[in-house]
Amino acid sequence: MNQDLSIISLIMHASLTVQLVIAALLLVSLASWAVIFSKLFALSRVKARNEEFEQEFWSGKNLNDLYNSVSNQQDGAPLERIFASGMREFLKLRERRVVETSALLDGARRAMRASFQRELDAMESHLSFLASVGSVSPYVGLFGTIWGIMHAFVGLSNLTQVTLATVAPGIAEALVATAIGLFAAIPAVLAYNRFARQIDRNAITLESFIEEFSNILQRNAGQPAPAAAR
Protein backbone atom coordinates (compact mmCIF):
# COMPACT_ATOMS: atom_id res chain seq x y z
CA MET A 1 0.00 0.00 0.00
CA ASN A 2 2.85 2.42 0.83
CA GLN A 3 4.48 1.70 -2.52
CA ASP A 4 1.21 2.08 -4.41
CA LEU A 5 0.49 5.44 -2.76
CA SER A 6 3.96 6.92 -3.15
CA ILE A 7 4.17 10.27 -4.94
CA ILE A 8 5.90 8.81 -8.01
CA SER A 9 3.42 5.97 -8.26
CA LEU A 10 0.46 8.32 -7.93
CA ILE A 11 1.79 10.57 -10.69
CA MET A 12 2.50 7.63 -12.99
CA HIS A 13 -1.02 6.25 -12.55
CA ALA A 14 -2.78 9.61 -12.85
CA SER A 15 -4.72 10.59 -15.96
CA LEU A 16 -2.95 12.32 -18.83
CA THR A 17 -4.54 15.67 -18.03
CA VAL A 18 -3.40 15.53 -14.41
CA GLN A 19 0.09 14.50 -15.51
CA LEU A 20 0.26 17.47 -17.90
CA VAL A 21 -0.87 19.80 -15.11
CA ILE A 22 1.76 18.39 -12.75
CA ALA A 23 4.48 18.68 -15.40
CA ALA A 24 3.54 22.31 -16.09
CA LEU A 25 3.58 23.13 -12.38
CA LEU A 26 6.99 21.51 -11.92
CA LEU A 27 8.41 23.50 -14.84
CA VAL A 28 6.96 26.72 -13.45
CA SER A 29 8.35 25.88 -10.03
CA LEU A 30 11.84 25.35 -11.46
CA ALA A 31 11.60 28.63 -13.37
CA SER A 32 10.47 30.49 -10.26
CA TRP A 33 13.37 29.09 -8.23
CA ALA A 34 15.77 30.23 -10.96
CA VAL A 35 14.26 33.72 -10.78
CA ILE A 36 14.41 33.68 -6.97
CA PHE A 37 18.12 32.87 -6.82
CA SER A 38 18.93 35.28 -9.66
CA LYS A 39 17.02 38.12 -8.03
CA LEU A 40 18.47 37.33 -4.61
CA PHE A 41 22.05 37.67 -5.86
CA ALA A 42 21.20 40.72 -8.00
CA LEU A 43 19.60 42.68 -5.16
CA SER A 44 22.41 41.77 -2.79
CA ARG A 45 24.92 43.03 -5.35
CA VAL A 46 22.94 46.26 -5.83
CA LYS A 47 22.90 46.91 -2.09
CA ALA A 48 26.63 46.28 -1.71
CA ARG A 49 27.57 48.50 -4.65
CA ASN A 50 25.27 51.30 -3.53
CA GLU A 51 26.84 51.28 -0.07
CA GLU A 52 30.32 51.30 -1.60
CA PHE A 53 29.51 54.29 -3.81
CA GLU A 54 27.86 56.18 -0.95
CA GLN A 55 31.02 55.86 1.11
CA GLU A 56 33.08 57.20 -1.78
CA PHE A 57 30.59 59.99 -2.49
CA TRP A 58 30.50 61.27 1.08
CA SER A 59 34.25 60.94 1.54
CA GLY A 60 34.66 64.51 0.23
CA LYS A 61 36.02 63.60 -3.19
CA ASN A 62 35.76 66.28 -5.88
CA LEU A 63 32.57 65.88 -7.90
CA ASN A 64 34.32 66.24 -11.25
CA ASP A 65 36.88 63.58 -10.33
CA LEU A 66 34.15 61.30 -9.06
CA TYR A 67 32.14 61.85 -12.25
CA ASN A 68 35.15 61.02 -14.42
CA SER A 69 35.80 57.79 -12.52
CA VAL A 70 32.15 56.76 -12.60
CA SER A 71 31.75 57.53 -16.31
CA ASN A 72 34.52 55.08 -17.19
CA GLN A 73 32.86 52.17 -15.40
CA GLN A 74 30.83 49.73 -17.48
CA ASP A 75 28.85 48.03 -14.71
CA GLY A 76 28.35 50.34 -11.78
CA ALA A 77 25.84 50.72 -8.98
CA PRO A 78 22.41 52.29 -9.53
CA LEU A 79 23.53 55.24 -7.41
CA GLU A 80 26.53 55.71 -9.68
CA ARG A 81 24.38 55.82 -12.80
CA ILE A 82 21.95 58.26 -11.21
CA PHE A 83 24.83 60.46 -10.09
CA ALA A 84 26.43 60.29 -13.55
CA SER A 85 23.18 61.20 -15.32
CA GLY A 86 22.54 64.19 -13.06
CA MET A 87 26.13 65.41 -13.21
CA ARG A 88 26.26 64.97 -16.99
CA GLU A 89 23.15 67.08 -17.52
CA PHE A 90 24.38 69.68 -15.03
CA LEU A 91 27.69 70.04 -16.91
CA LYS A 92 25.99 70.14 -20.31
CA LEU A 93 23.74 72.98 -19.23
CA ARG A 94 26.74 74.85 -17.91
CA GLU A 95 28.52 74.41 -21.22
CA ARG A 96 25.50 75.99 -22.91
CA ARG A 97 25.91 79.06 -20.67
CA VAL A 98 22.80 78.35 -18.62
CA VAL A 99 23.27 80.42 -15.50
CA GLU A 100 19.87 80.22 -13.82
CA THR A 101 20.05 77.96 -10.79
CA SER A 102 16.49 76.73 -11.25
CA ALA A 103 17.16 75.68 -14.86
CA LEU A 104 20.34 73.85 -13.88
CA LEU A 105 18.63 72.01 -11.04
CA ASP A 106 15.51 71.16 -13.03
CA GLY A 107 17.57 69.66 -15.85
CA ALA A 108 19.75 67.63 -13.49
CA ARG A 109 16.74 66.48 -11.48
CA ARG A 110 14.84 65.36 -14.59
CA ALA A 111 17.87 63.39 -15.77
CA MET A 112 18.23 61.72 -12.37
CA ARG A 113 14.51 60.94 -12.23
CA ALA A 114 14.67 59.27 -15.64
CA SER A 115 17.69 57.24 -14.54
CA PHE A 116 15.91 56.39 -11.27
CA GLN A 117 12.93 55.01 -13.18
CA ARG A 118 15.19 52.86 -15.35
CA GLU A 119 16.96 51.48 -12.28
CA LEU A 120 13.63 50.77 -10.58
CA ASP A 121 12.34 48.95 -13.66
CA ALA A 122 15.52 46.85 -13.74
CA MET A 123 15.18 45.90 -10.07
CA GLU A 124 11.50 45.01 -10.52
CA SER A 125 12.13 42.78 -13.53
CA HIS A 126 10.65 39.27 -13.21
CA LEU A 127 8.72 40.19 -10.06
CA SER A 128 5.49 39.98 -12.02
CA PHE A 129 6.39 36.39 -12.93
CA LEU A 130 6.73 35.47 -9.24
CA ALA A 131 3.43 37.19 -8.50
CA SER A 132 1.73 35.26 -11.29
CA VAL A 133 3.18 31.95 -10.10
CA GLY A 134 2.09 32.64 -6.54
CA SER A 135 -1.47 33.55 -7.50
CA VAL A 136 -2.18 31.14 -10.37
CA SER A 137 -0.38 27.92 -9.39
CA PRO A 138 -2.85 26.88 -6.64
CA TYR A 139 -5.76 27.25 -9.07
CA VAL A 140 -3.95 25.26 -11.75
CA GLY A 141 -3.30 22.54 -9.18
CA LEU A 142 -6.95 22.69 -8.12
CA PHE A 143 -7.99 22.24 -11.73
CA GLY A 144 -5.84 19.12 -11.91
CA THR A 145 -7.38 17.85 -8.69
CA ILE A 146 -10.95 18.39 -9.86
CA TRP A 147 -10.20 16.74 -13.18
CA GLY A 148 -8.55 13.81 -11.42
CA ILE A 149 -11.51 13.35 -9.07
CA MET A 150 -13.90 13.42 -12.01
CA HIS A 151 -11.76 10.83 -13.78
CA ALA A 152 -11.69 8.67 -10.64
CA PHE A 153 -15.47 8.74 -10.19
CA VAL A 154 -16.02 7.90 -13.84
CA GLY A 155 -13.84 4.83 -13.33
CA LEU A 156 -15.71 3.90 -10.16
CA SER A 157 -19.04 4.02 -11.95
CA ASN A 158 -18.23 0.70 -13.61
CA LEU A 159 -17.70 -1.06 -10.29
CA THR A 160 -20.51 -2.88 -8.53
CA GLN A 161 -18.98 -2.50 -5.08
CA VAL A 162 -17.06 0.64 -4.00
CA THR A 163 -14.82 0.57 -0.92
CA LEU A 164 -12.27 2.93 0.55
CA ALA A 165 -9.49 0.86 -1.03
CA THR A 166 -10.91 1.50 -4.49
CA VAL A 167 -11.61 5.21 -3.91
CA ALA A 168 -8.38 6.22 -2.14
CA PRO A 169 -5.88 5.78 -5.01
CA GLY A 170 -7.88 7.91 -7.46
CA ILE A 171 -8.49 10.68 -4.91
CA ALA A 172 -4.83 10.64 -3.84
CA GLU A 173 -3.68 10.92 -7.45
CA ALA A 174 -5.87 13.98 -7.89
CA LEU A 175 -4.70 15.65 -4.68
CA VAL A 176 -1.07 15.45 -5.80
CA ALA A 177 -1.79 18.23 -8.31
CA THR A 178 -2.97 20.57 -5.54
CA ALA A 179 0.07 19.73 -3.41
CA ILE A 180 2.45 20.52 -6.26
CA GLY A 181 0.53 23.72 -7.01
CA LEU A 182 1.09 24.85 -3.43
CA PHE A 183 4.72 23.74 -3.66
CA ALA A 184 5.16 26.10 -6.61
CA ALA A 185 3.13 28.97 -5.16
CA ILE A 186 4.38 29.29 -1.57
CA PRO A 187 8.08 29.99 -2.34
CA ALA A 188 7.08 32.42 -5.10
CA VAL A 189 4.82 34.40 -2.75
CA LEU A 190 7.42 34.52 0.03
CA ALA A 191 10.15 35.58 -2.40
CA TYR A 192 7.93 38.22 -4.00
CA ASN A 193 7.16 39.81 -0.62
CA ARG A 194 10.82 39.77 0.40
CA PHE A 195 12.03 41.26 -2.88
CA ALA A 196 9.29 43.89 -2.89
CA ARG A 197 10.43 45.10 0.54
CA GLN A 198 14.07 45.17 -0.57
CA ILE A 199 13.21 47.10 -3.73
CA ASP A 200 11.18 49.60 -1.71
CA ARG A 201 14.16 50.19 0.58
CA ASN A 202 16.47 50.58 -2.43
CA ALA A 203 14.02 53.04 -4.01
CA ILE A 204 14.00 55.12 -0.82
CA THR A 205 17.80 55.13 -0.85
CA LEU A 206 17.90 56.29 -4.47
CA GLU A 207 15.29 59.01 -3.91
CA SER A 208 17.11 60.27 -0.83
CA PHE A 209 20.33 60.46 -2.81
CA ILE A 210 18.61 62.45 -5.57
CA GLU A 211 17.43 65.03 -3.04
CA GLU A 212 20.81 65.23 -1.29
CA PHE A 213 22.72 65.50 -4.56
CA SER A 214 20.27 68.17 -5.78
CA ASN A 215 21.11 70.23 -2.69
CA ILE A 216 24.81 69.87 -3.44
CA LEU A 217 24.28 70.96 -7.04
CA GLN A 218 22.28 73.94 -5.85
CA ARG A 219 25.17 75.05 -3.67
CA ASN A 220 27.56 74.63 -6.61
CA ALA A 221 25.33 76.22 -9.24
CA GLY A 222 26.80 79.67 -8.72
CA GLN A 223 30.42 78.52 -8.68
CA PRO A 224 32.74 78.26 -11.68
CA ALA A 225 32.46 74.99 -13.59
CA PRO A 226 35.87 73.52 -12.61
CA ALA A 227 35.22 73.97 -8.88
CA ALA A 228 32.30 71.59 -8.31
CA ALA A 229 33.20 71.09 -4.69
CA ARG A 230 30.91 70.15 -1.81
Side-chain angles (χ1 to χ4, degrees), residues 6-16 19 22 173:
S6 64
I7 299 296
I8 302 299
S9 176
L10 292 175
I11 294 175
M12 295 300 296
H13 291 88
S15 65
L16 178 61
Q19 289 179 344
I22 291 174
E173 292 169 6

Side-chain angles (χ1 to χ4, degrees), residues 11 38 57 73 82-83 89 116 119 122 126 129 162 173 204 211:
I11 294 175
S38 175
F57 180 82
Q73 294 183 4
I82 290 176
F83 164 78
E89 186 66 21
F116 165 78
E119 297 299 334
H126 304 304
F129 173 75
V162 178
E173 292 169 6
I204 293 173
E211 296 301 322

Side-chain angles (χ1 to χ4, degrees), residues 86 99 112 117 129 165 199 205 226:
V99 295
M112 288 189 290
Q117 192 59 52
F129 173 75
I199 291 172
T205 299

Side-chain angles (χ1 to χ4, degrees), residues 7 10-11 14 17-23 25-26 137-149 170-184:
I7 299 296
L10 292 175
I11 294 175
T17 302
V18 176
Q19 289 179 344
L20 291 176
V21 168
I22 291 174
L25 289 173
L26 289 176
S137 293
Y139 295 103
V140 175
L142 183 60
F143 165 76
T145 296
I146 293 174
W147 188 275
I149 292 175
I171 302 300
E173 292 169 6
L175 291 175
V176 171
T178 297
I180 295 180
L182 294 175
F183 174 78

Side-chain angles (χ1 to χ4, degrees):
M1 178 65 69
N2 291 335
Q3 184 177 0
D4 292 337
L5 295 182
S6 64
I7 299 296
I8 302 299
S9 176
L10 292 175
I11 294 175
M12 295 300 296
H13 291 88
S15 65
L16 178 61
T17 302
V18 176
Q19 289 179 344
L20 291 176
V21 168
I22 291 174
L25 289 173
L26 289 176
L27 289 176
V28 169
S29 179
L30 290 175
S32 66
W33 277 107
V35 171
I36 288 171
F37 283 112
S38 175
K39 186 63 66 176
L40 182 64
F41 291 132
L43 292 178
S44 299
R45 185 168 59 251
V46 165
K47 181 181 179 181
R49 290 182 176 179
N50 280 342
E51 291 176 350
E52 182 180 352
F53 174 75
E54 274 193 304
Q55 291 178 356
E56 185 177 9
F57 180 82
W58 294 112
S59 64
K61 188 175 181 179
N62 183 275
L63 291 180
N64 288 324
D65 295 338
L66 183 59
Y67 171 69
N68 292 331
S69 64
V70 167
S71 300
N72 296 327
Q73 294 183 4
Q74 299 295 330
D75 185 20
L79 279 181
E80 291 177 330
R81 289 187 284 270
I82 290 176
F83 164 78
S85 63
M87 193 68 180
R88 185 183 304 110
E89 186 66 21
F90 183 80
L91 295 176
K92 284 182 179 179
L93 292 175
R94 274 192 162 184
E95 291 176 358
R96 296 175 183 175
R97 306 298 181 182
V98 178
V99 295
E100 293 184 4
T101 301
S102 59
L104 289 171
L105 291 179
D106 288 343
R109 188 184 293 272
R110 284 195 299 269
M112 288 189 290
R113 280 291 172 184
S115 180
F116 165 78
Q117 192 59 52
R118 289 193 295 269
E119 297 299 334
L120 191 61
D121 291 341
M123 286 188 290
E124 290 178 343
S125 63
H126 304 304
L127 274 188
S128 59
F129 173 75
L130 292 179
S132 298
V133 172
S135 60
V136 174
S137 293
Y139 295 103
V140 175
L142 183 60
F143 165 76
T145 296
I146 293 174
W147 188 275
I149 292 175
M150 290 172 55
H151 184 267
F153 279 116
V154 169
L156 292 175
S157 63
N158 298 324
L159 299 179
T160 57
Q161 183 177 3
V162 178
T163 63
L164 181 61
T166 57
V167 174
I171 302 300
E173 292 169 6
L175 291 175
V176 171
T178 297
I180 295 180
L182 294 175
F183 174 78
I186 292 174
V189 171
L190 294 177
Y192 175 85
N193 292 333
R194 175 186 174 89
F195 295 150
R197 288 193 300 269
Q198 288 182 333
I199 291 172
D200 287 341
R201 288 195 294 266
N202 288 336
I204 293 173
T205 299
L206 297 181
E207 289 181 328
S208 300
F209 176 80
I210 290 175
E211 296 301 322
E212 292 168 343
F213 186 45
S214 297
N215 293 333
I216 294 174
L217 292 179
Q218 184 176 14
R219 291 195 297 268
N220 286 273
Q223 299 181 7
R230 297 306 153 84

